[in-house]
Amino acid sequence: MGTHGYRRGTRHMFSKKFRKRGPIKLSTYLRVYKVGDYVDIKVDGSVQKGMPFKYYHGKTGRVYNVTKRALGVIVTKQVRNCMLDKRINVRVEHVKPSRCREDFLKRVKENDEKRRQAKENGEKIPRGSLKRQPQEPRGRYLVKAKKIKVKEGESVVTKKVLNIEDLVPIKYEFLG
């Protein structure tokens, strides 16, 4: 016989991490949220009021309403084959500012700086140079053999272990 409660399966999800228990920090309440901010919903199990449903734990949404103790957040939820914008009201204890736009805003600033410098120098920016570029693969490097200490009679000697194996992928063969 399974459980069918509103908070089923949240024993570990809503629990606080090791050494993070205790009273809630004041900075949680003093943080200023504005309409349009992105926030991460992270349920604090020690506060039952204004707690969102477990589905929204870990989701990122956008603030559409700010009240004295709570925020209205728009979160996208997939229901069957369509994406719905759900509007939920969550207390500030269960919300923290999201870092999802940091890289984007940093890139916007860098691109503005590049455009300004190109305009000053009278250069033309190559097409596609302001877009994100894929990260290059890591450079090659040599794996060195280990040195171990071995006791030989009275003295201790360091020797290199030379049993280095070459790992080669096995050729695919169709066995039929």
Side-chain angles (χ1 to χ4, degrees):
M1 194 167 156
T3 54
H4 303 285
Y6 189 76
R7 286 181 60 173
R8 73 157 180 270
T10 61
R11 177 180 178 179
H12 300 293
M13 190 190 298
F14 288 175
S15 67
K16 288 191 177 183
K17 301 291 178 251
F18 179 62
R19 288 190 178 160
K20 300 292 180 192
R21 290 175 166 77
I24 299 164
K25 293 177 183 169
L26 266 178
S27 59
T28 308
Y29 298 103
L30 297 174
R31 228 177 250 133
V32 177
Y33 294 99
K34 295 176 184 172
V35 174
D37 287 352
Y38 282 89
V39 292
D40 294 331
I41 298 169
K42 187 178 177 185
V43 176
D44 186 346
S46 64
V47 181
Q48 285 79 39
K49 280 190 172 184
M51 187 183 280
F53 183 63
K54 64 182 177 183
Y55 169 83
Y56 300 104
H57 180 77
K59 300 283 186 276
T60 301
R62 202 159 191 188
V63 176
Y64 77 92
N65 187 26
V66 180
T67 61
K68 192 162 49 170
R69 294 183 190 88
L71 301 173
V73 182
I74 299 174
V75 185
T76 308
K77 182 178 182 179
Q78 183 178 348
V79 179
R80 295 188 186 93
N81 60 346
C82 57
M83 301 297 279
L84 300 176
D85 284 343
K86 304 287 282 187
R87 291 173 180 256
I88 60 171
N89 295 311
V90 185
R91 275 178 80 113
V92 290
E93 293 94 332
H94 308 295
V95 155
K96 65 175 189 171
S98 181
R99 299 182 60 194
C100 65
R101 284 176 61 85
E102 278 183 4
D103 290 337
F104 169 71
L105 294 173
K106 180 182 167 190
R107 209 172 73 246
V108 168
K109 282 182 184 175
E110 288 172 359
N111 289 348
D112 289 343
E113 184 64 28
K114 287 178 186 175
R115 282 194 192 98
R116 192 181 59 74
Q117 286 180 352
K119 196 172 184 181
E120 285 176 2
N121 300 336
E123 298 171 355
K124 199 169 185 180
I125 299 172
R127 191 169 182 207
S129 66
L130 298 180
K131 293 184 177 181
R132 286 179 291 174
Q133 299 300 320
Q135 191 177 7
E136 292 185 11
R138 287 181 289 167
R140 65 178 194 184
Y141 61 93
L142 185 67
V143 177
K144 295 184 179 179
K146 283 185 179 177
K147 289 183 180 180
I148 58 168
K149 293 183 180 180
V150 181
K151 248 188 177 181
E152 288 184 1
E154 299 276 327
S155 61
V156 177
V157 182
T158 57
K159 290 186 177 182
K160 272 192 178 179
V161 180
L162 298 174
N163 56 349
I164 299 173
E165 298 179 26
D166 290 334
L167 298 176
V168 181
I170 301 170
K171 188 177 177 184
Y172 177 77
E173 294 179 17
F174 182 72
L175 302 172

